[in-house]
Amino acid sequence: MVRNRILLLIALVCIAIGMKAQENVEVTTSATLDSVAIKKEAAENYEKGNKYWKAKEWDKALTYYEMAAEEGNSEAQYLLGLLCIEGKRVIKDVDKGIEWLSKAGMQGHKDAQFNLASIYYQGKIVPKDTQVAEYWARKYKDVK
């Protein structure tokens, strides 16, 4: 009798654990699907930005590039970083440009990493900082 109760208790615990695991799988799957949808939307917004850029509709292009960058598209982040630093089609804002390049660089965008290393090493548009330059140079050299 005691043995049956113990087995029943073990079975109930196993069922509860299985149900909790299933909930975790559903949450993870949902989050993954959301992430995939966001990446897809970001890529689409980046492409729309390219379309408008080629048509020389700068405001529309920048709107889509900004949406893509905010959604995590590293190409859009890199492009906006360069545009902000150069003051091309946007008000020149070196700090904002560095921020966008850094976001792209943290995602493994090699051109962003290289540019950041160069910018900090040269010290022409930001104060020279060899430690930060070396950080970005190491990231640039790392192959994943």
Side-chain angles (χ1 to χ4, degrees):
M1 183 83 153
V2 171
R3 182 171 179 238
N4 288 345
R5 287 185 182 170
I6 291 173
L7 290 175
L8 179 60
L9 181 61
I10 291 172
L12 290 173
V13 168
C14 288
I15 290 170
I17 290 171
M19 290 173 67
K20 186 65 176 171
Q22 180 62 32
E23 287 175 18
N24 289 340
V25 167
E26 290 171 5
V27 168
T28 302
T29 302
S30 175
T32 301
L33 291 175
D34 289 346
S35 176
V36 169
I38 290 169
K39 285 182 181 180
K40 182 180 177 189
E41 185 176 343
E44 289 170 357
N45 284 332
Y46 177 72
E47 289 306 319
K48 287 177 186 176
N50 286 339
K51 181 182 111 183
Y52 286 116
W53 190 267
K54 288 175 186 170
K56 298 183 180 180
E57 294 185 50
W58 315 120
D59 289 340
K60 287 182 182 178
L62 290 169
T63 297
Y64 281 104
Y65 286 147
E66 287 176 16
M67 287 191 302
E70 291 291 343
E71 293 163 339
N73 183 285
S74 64
E75 287 296 326
Q77 292 168 341
Y78 172 69
L79 178 63
L80 285 175
L82 294 180
L83 293 174
C84 287
I85 287 171
E86 296 171 5
K88 225 179 202 181
R89 305 289 176 206
V90 296
I91 296 171
K92 185 172 184 170
D93 186 341
V94 172
D95 292 336
K96 189 70 172 170
I98 296 294
E99 183 181 329
W100 281 124
L101 287 179
S102 297
K103 287 180 179 187
M106 291 305 292
Q107 292 191 72
H109 195 286
K110 292 298 180 187
D111 292 333
Q113 294 167 345
F114 179 84
N115 279 298
L116 286 162
S118 297
I119 287 167
Y120 281 103
Y121 181 74
Q122 293 170 0
K124 292 180 181 175
I125 60 173
V126 297
K128 184 172 183 167
D129 190 329
T130 55
Q131 287 183 323
V132 175
E134 288 172 7
Y135 169 82
W136 286 112
R138 279 192 305 277
K139 287 194 98 37
Y140 173 74
K141 289 179 184 178
D142 286 346
V143 178
K144 291 184 178 183

